[in-house]
Amino acid sequence: MKYYSETLACLNRSDEYALVQKKLTNYGYQKTEEPQKADVILLYTCGSTDVFISRSVTRAKELAEKYKKKMIVCGCSTVTSSKSYEDTNFLLCSPTDFSKLEEFLDEQIKQEELRVAQITDDPIFSQKAIVIQKGCVRKCTYCGIWRAVGKLFSKTPESILSEVKNLVKSGIYNITLSGDSIADYGVDFGSNIIRLLDYIGSVDENVSFNLLDFHPRMFIKYMDELISLAKKGKINHIGIPIQSGSVNILKAMRREFNIEKFVIGLDEIKKCGVELSTDVIIGFPGETDADFEKTIELLKRLDFSKISVNVYTDLEGSISNSMTNKISKKNVMKRYISIKESGLRGIDNDFLDYQISKAVYNK
């Protein structure tokens, strides 16, 4: 028996993807790089925006139609766009609910297994990564990931420490830590992200970390501790998705934070040589030209090394989906052109162009 696998999902799903493949191997399946020779096809999907949902659903149905194999489809799109799969007989699993695997493999992935950290590959920095937690305690109005993944839970600190030690033994000292909301690591068992960084950073004086998806509000909360760690050379990069520079839009997103305190903190940590990246959304419901300009102004003040611009789209079941003050395609295009011509460094133009081509022209 053989299986073929592909992933379109983000880094935060990489450990789940590896676990499902491990289950298939344990059940007697051998991996093949040729889908036509497989008995079953595994596809891991993305559910963050309708652009990536469309890519995931389209690919799943293409594979099913072309190869006529049993399909196991996992990842966030199975929740954030569940209606897209109603006309299929795919075996569907969410990022934390693998009960359907029992129908196929006589076993499922239990949460105890998901709590154990494992080393994965980080395509962003082309190095090794450890997913340290899953789920989110927040309910941002545009987001469906908190529904797809569910209640926050953290990987055990002992298992994370073990994997850091393994990487150091192999000569790897700069490690990416990722998760759906890593700044909230440990809230489920009375700890926090700073305690974890102190704990695993003590393995070797040369160990340092890239921290991805750090909420701005939590950056402010732990600002002094993060700056202290940065001065010791323990932090190389922090990804902090601001999403907007407008107080009004941040409130509508349920992502309020003190912008002035945030700017002060980022200016200080940049002095330590820490690189910063961010994500912003253009075209969120109710976003005025003035709101958009405030986002541009904040981006210019902070001078991020990388900026991922996401075009707002409605997600099935999201709170913002039911908002009535949607932005027209014409205005989204105006903001797309404006941000492209803004002179901001670090914008991933290819990523932005791809989204615009799908979100605006293909609807």
Side-chain angles (χ1 to χ4, degrees):
M1 298 187 297
K2 295 181 179 181
Y3 78 92
Y4 169 81
S5 65
E6 284 184 19
T7 180
L8 300 173
C10 69
L11 176 60
N12 298 336
R13 310 276 75 83
S14 58
D15 56 337
E16 304 154 22
Y17 179 54
L19 274 172
V20 176
Q21 291 182 86
K22 182 179 178 181
K23 293 291 184 182
L24 286 165
T25 300
N26 290 345
Y27 201 71
Y29 283 87
Q30 293 182 319
K31 188 171 184 177
T32 177
E33 300 302 322
E34 301 175 85
Q36 68 272 18
K37 294 183 178 180
D39 299 287
V40 62
I41 293 176
L42 166 66
L43 180 68
Y44 236 88
T45 68
C46 177
S48 61
T49 71
D50 68 351
V51 171
F52 299 111
I53 288 170
S54 176
R55 183 173 68 166
S56 294
V57 174
T58 299
R59 183 56 178 159
K61 292 183 178 181
E62 284 176 349
L63 288 168
E65 176 64 25
K66 184 173 182 179
Y67 298 109
K68 312 295 184 186
K69 309 292 184 178
K70 177 70 176 179
M71 293 289 301
I72 300 176
V73 178
C74 305
C76 292
S77 78
T78 63
V79 177
T80 62
S81 188
S82 59
K83 293 178 181 177
S84 298
Y85 297 104
E86 288 179 349
D87 61 344
T88 74
N89 61 353
F90 300 162
L91 190 156
L92 303 174
C93 297
S94 80
T96 50
D97 182 1
F98 296 90
S99 55
K100 292 291 183 67
L101 278 179
E102 284 188 301
E103 300 174 11
F104 186 66
L105 301 177
D106 295 332
E107 65 174 321
Q108 60 171 293
I109 295 172
K110 299 176 182 177
Q111 192 174 95
E112 290 74 23
E113 295 175 88
L114 292 171
R115 287 183 181 274
V116 178
Q118 58 182 307
I119 298 166
T120 61
D121 292 313
D122 173 15
I124 300 172
F125 294 98
S126 300
Q127 58 192 44
K128 297 299 181 181
I130 302 172
V131 180
I132 64 170
Q133 60 81 223
K134 295 189 179 294
C136 189
V137 296
R138 307 172 199 288
K139 294 183 179 180
C140 299
T141 56
Y142 58 84
C143 186
I145 304 306
W146 58 270
R147 289 192 306 112
V149 184
K151 186 178 178 182
L152 182 145
F153 65 91
S154 305
K155 305 277 188 175
T156 64
E158 295 79 13
S159 67
I160 299 171
L161 179 70
S162 176
E163 293 295 53
V164 170
K165 288 180 176 178
N166 288 335
L167 288 172
V168 169
K169 285 178 183 177
S170 64
I172 298 172
Y173 294 90
N174 184 221
I175 303 163
T176 296
L177 303 181
S178 182
D180 297 306
S181 182
I182 70 165
D184 295 304
Y185 175 87
V187 298
D188 51 327
F189 64 93
S191 187
N192 61 55
I193 184 65
I194 301 301
R195 290 180 191 171
L196 177 71
L197 292 172
D198 286 337
Y199 180 57
I200 61 179
S202 64
V203 168
D204 189 284
E205 63 180 10
N206 296 312
V207 168
S208 61
F209 302 103
N210 305 312
L211 309 177
L212 300 186
D213 292 320
F214 213 98
H215 195 289
R217 195 182 308 152
M218 299 304 286
F219 174 83
I220 294 169
K221 178 178 180 178
Y222 295 126
M223 182 168 60
D224 292 340
E225 292 91 339
L226 290 168
I227 291 171
S228 176
L229 286 165
K231 287 178 178 178
K232 297 174 185 176
K234 290 296 180 183
I235 301 175
N236 288 325
H237 182 105
I238 309 181
I240 309 179
I242 62 169
Q243 306 301 12
S244 177
S246 163
V247 172
N248 291 335
I249 296 301
L250 288 171
K251 184 176 181 180
M253 291 177 170
R254 292 185 181 172
R255 288 186 65 86
E256 304 100 312
F257 61 91
N258 188 311
I259 291 176
E260 291 308 313
K261 284 186 179 180
F262 181 67
V263 170
I264 291 169
L266 287 200
D267 285 343
E268 284 300 310
I269 207 163
K270 280 196 290 187
K271 292 176 184 177
C272 305
V274 175
E275 283 204 345
L276 301 168
S277 61
T278 195
D279 294 71
V280 295
I281 295 172
I282 61 172
F284 185 84
E287 182 187 62
T288 64
D289 288 343
D291 292 323
F292 174 71
E293 287 304 320
K294 287 177 182 177
T295 298
I296 298 295
E297 289 169 11
L298 184 57
L299 291 173
K300 288 180 176 178
R301 286 180 71 185
L302 295 172
D303 190 31
F304 290 97
S305 61
K306 182 179 179 182
I307 303 169
S308 293
V309 181
N310 296 280
V311 178
Y312 172 81
T313 51
D314 286 326
L315 278 186
E316 177 187 318
S318 70
I319 298 167
S320 61
N321 192 5
S322 61
M323 294 180 179
T324 57
N325 50 348
K326 300 293 168 56
I327 307 303
S328 69
K329 291 179 182 179
K330 180 180 178 181
N331 280 333
V332 170
M333 279 300 298
K334 283 173 60 179
R335 287 168 194 172
Y336 157 70
I337 293 168
S338 178
I339 206 164
K340 290 263 289 185
E341 296 177 347
S342 65
L344 287 163
R345 78 178 182 109
I347 290 181
D348 188 339
N349 284 311
D350 290 341
F351 178 66
L352 178 56
D353 291 345
Y354 174 78
Q355 289 183 86
I356 284 291
S357 69
K358 300 295 182 181
V360 176
Y361 293 121
N362 290 357
K363 280 196 170 185

